Amino acid sequence: MDDRYDVAVIGGGPAGICAAAQAARAGANTLLIEKTGLLGGQITSGGVDRPAQFHARGKQVVAGIGWDLVARAISLAGGDPSAFLPDASDSKPPRGVLVNIPLFAAVADECVLDSGAMLLFHTMLASVQDDGDAWTLTLCGKEGLHEVAADVIVDCTGDANAAELAGCELVKPDEMQPATLVVAAAGYRVEDLDLDAIEAAAEAAIERGELLPTDFGWVSPPAGSWLRNYGGNRLHVTDVDGSTSEGRTEAEIEGRRSMMRLYRFFRSQPGLEDFRIAWIAPECGIRETVTIQGRKTITLDDYSSGRLWEDAVCYSFYPIDLHLPTGIQGGTIEEGAIPTIPRGAMLPVGVDRLVVAGRCIAGDRLANSSYRVQAPCMATGQAAGAMAALAADRCSDIEELPMADIYDILRQHGAIIPGELEDKTPENEVQHATGSPHH
């Protein structure tokens, strides 16, 4: 392990994998730091195995390193990645693509290591110090504290941990969206159950306080939907602050308490005598914590109208999906629109040589509820990696980097550049290959 790196990426979730691989492929000496023992974040540790959304309106809108990872994991499992492309006439939101969690984790390892980046598991960031021309990072590993230096930091923690330690201003909602513990159930056949009777028993258990309505999530009918899906991404934990270790601890404990309430209830129902919990995600999934105070802020109007920002780095596409204690506040993207994410929303106010990718980029809560999902996190991560590598090489503020140079790197590694979805003629393909900017 080196004492100094061009780029340090903090967090090995969907954004961090792509950021580290892109920075290293672009020639930067790169370190990726991950607090757990596997890459993938919510895809792996959170159990959300349907990363979304790579497609919109019959087109692929997010590609590059993240899509290559997903497609490879699907292919290794015997699937066909092209099967997930929706028809242009389909009015329903596109579905997430199902990946095998263990294969995705292994493929992510290979992607990062093959890029030339250094990967360090079981390590957290303890402090960040700006030394003028470089950052000094104090890392907490199993062996204790040690320091490394980096020219540029890419914060992919999902919670802006590095940005906060560097002194960046954060925006925190008064009440955060519920967390979810992903659960897989087994030991029964739905067709053998009297779901109406179980539903009535669940209502009575809620009345007695033996169950909470949030144990089933926001689906209806609650017990029947939970059983038909054999659990899944629907066990909600409310009133937790996932931005702190104390809050995360509470979420983990409450998630497992909820699981135990469901376990005891279902085991008492006719036909569910052999009901069992086959698997739970290693971590309770956190939807929302904080966002940075960015040089630009994505509003709901910007997002739902499909605003093409002049410094757009990628597309994003997912319905407005703000989870509240009483249900979901949804919303739609305007007909024909495909939102974009600007570089300025990834850059904290007042701090240079630090870029943020993933769900904590600057935006209002309704916009954030859409771009927080995995595909745009992967896309912003790849863009952040490209920007960090360029900034380290040129000793430049990230905001001063020409967008054409950023686009050149992203194109070389398969990313889709905003404004170029319809730009696929042979003439323009030659322009792209030679690095000529096209906006």
Side-chain angles (χ1 to χ4, degrees):
M1 183 172 173
D2 297 338
D3 294 327
R4 179 158 183 161
Y5 292 86
D6 299 325
V7 176
V9 180
I10 317 299
I17 298 167
C18 299
Q22 180 62 93
R25 289 183 187 182
N29 184 21
T30 302
L31 172 65
L32 173 58
I33 299 163
E34 165 55 30
K35 65 183 175 67
T36 70
L38 77 169
L39 298 174
Q42 288 302 300
I43 297 175
T44 53
S45 294
V48 184
D49 58 0
R50 291 183 180 271
Q53 298 286 356
F54 296 92
H55 304 100
R57 311 193 188 286
K59 309 168 186 175
Q60 183 150 7
V61 297
V62 174
I65 294 171
W67 174 250
D68 290 346
L69 279 169
V70 168
R72 187 176 174 202
I74 293 170
S75 297
L76 283 170
D80 178 7
S82 67
F84 291 93
L85 178 63
D87 186 87
S89 63
D90 190 352
S91 61
K92 298 178 183 178
R95 53 186 171 150
V97 294
L98 178 63
V99 298
N100 176 281
I101 289 175
L103 290 178
F104 183 87
V107 166
D109 288 344
E110 293 173 354
C111 173
V112 171
L113 295 175
D114 288 348
S115 74
M118 171 71 182
L119 175 57
L120 191 60
F121 286 126
H122 301 292
T123 303
M124 294 187 70
L125 188 62
S127 69
V128 175
Q129 177 67 44
D130 185 357
D131 294 330
D133 63 342
W135 297 99
T136 295
L137 310 178
T138 302
L139 306 181
C140 181
K142 293 177 69 64
E143 67 281 12
L145 300 178
H146 60 281
E147 293 184 348
V148 298
D151 295 333
V152 180
I153 296 174
V154 183
D155 186 333
C156 297
T157 63
D159 304 316
N161 296 140
E164 182 174 22
L165 289 170
C168 301
E169 184 179 352
L170 304 183
V171 178
K172 188 173 185 178
D174 294 333
E175 183 179 40
M176 297 181 188
Q177 298 180 63
T180 298
L181 177 64
V182 175
V183 174
Y188 64 94
R189 296 198 319 160
V190 172
E191 56 267 32
D192 295 338
L193 303 176
D194 184 344
L195 293 178
D196 291 338
I198 294 173
E199 206 68 62
E203 292 177 6
I206 290 171
E207 286 289 329
R208 295 191 300 270
E210 296 170 5
L211 289 173
L212 298 179
T214 51
D215 293 338
F216 297 107
W218 308 147
V219 293
S220 182
S225 295
W226 201 99
L227 289 166
R228 287 191 186 94
N229 288 278
Y230 292 85
N233 184 10
R234 47 183 39 83
L235 186 159
H236 279 11
V237 181
T238 59
D239 300 322
V240 293
D241 179 357
S243 67
T244 67
S245 291
E246 183 179 1
R248 287 287 176 106
T249 300
E250 182 182 358
E252 305 295 357
I253 292 170
E254 291 303 320
R256 289 189 284 272
R257 282 177 176 162
S258 178
M259 177 202 70
M260 287 298 291
R261 287 193 293 268
L262 291 170
Y263 177 76
R264 293 185 176 110
F265 168 75
F266 283 132
R267 289 275 292 191
S268 70
Q269 301 305 305
L272 290 172
E273 294 82 3
D274 295 325
F275 176 92
R276 67 181 187 274
I277 302 296
W279 179 85
I280 63 169
E283 291 188 3
C284 190
I286 302 295
R287 288 182 173 83
E288 176 185 42
T289 54
V290 300
T291 56
I292 60 167
Q293 187 70 50
R295 302 181 195 183
K296 293 182 179 178
T297 299
I298 306 166
T299 67
L300 176 61
D301 286 344
D302 294 327
Y303 196 86
S304 61
S305 67
R307 175 178 177 178
L308 180 59
W309 296 82
E310 67 277 6
D311 60 343
V313 297
C314 66
Y315 286 106
S316 174
F317 193 80
Y318 195 75
I320 307 304
D321 187 39
L322 186 68
H323 289 237
L324 300 171
T326 55
I328 295 175
Q329 181 178 346
T332 58
I333 297 169
E334 293 179 14
E335 185 66 30
I338 304 176
T340 64
I341 303 294
R343 169 176 62 180
M346 302 168 63
L347 301 179
V349 171
V351 177
D352 296 332
R353 296 178 290 108
L354 189 152
V355 57
V356 174
R359 73 177 179 210
C360 54
I361 64 176
D364 66 29
R365 291 193 75 205
L366 286 170
N368 178 268
S369 75
S370 179
Y371 67 67
R372 65 180 172 82
V373 298
Q374 294 106 319
C377 287
M378 290 173 165
T380 56
Q382 184 172 351
M387 291 187 280
L390 282 172
D393 180 60
R394 300 178 183 180
C395 300
S396 170
D397 178 18
I398 296 170
E399 194 170 34
E400 300 303 317
L401 296 171
M403 291 304 301
D405 294 350
I406 298 167
Y407 291 157
D408 282 346
I409 292 177
L410 295 176
R411 286 192 198 97
Q412 291 170 28
H413 299 275
I416 295 172
I417 307 302
E420 297 184 0
L421 274 178
E422 306 297 341
D423 189 16
K424 298 296 181 184
T425 64
E427 178 184 356
N428 285 324
E429 288 296 328
V430 171
Q431 288 181 332
H432 297 168
T434 59
S436 299
H438 182 86
H439 300 282

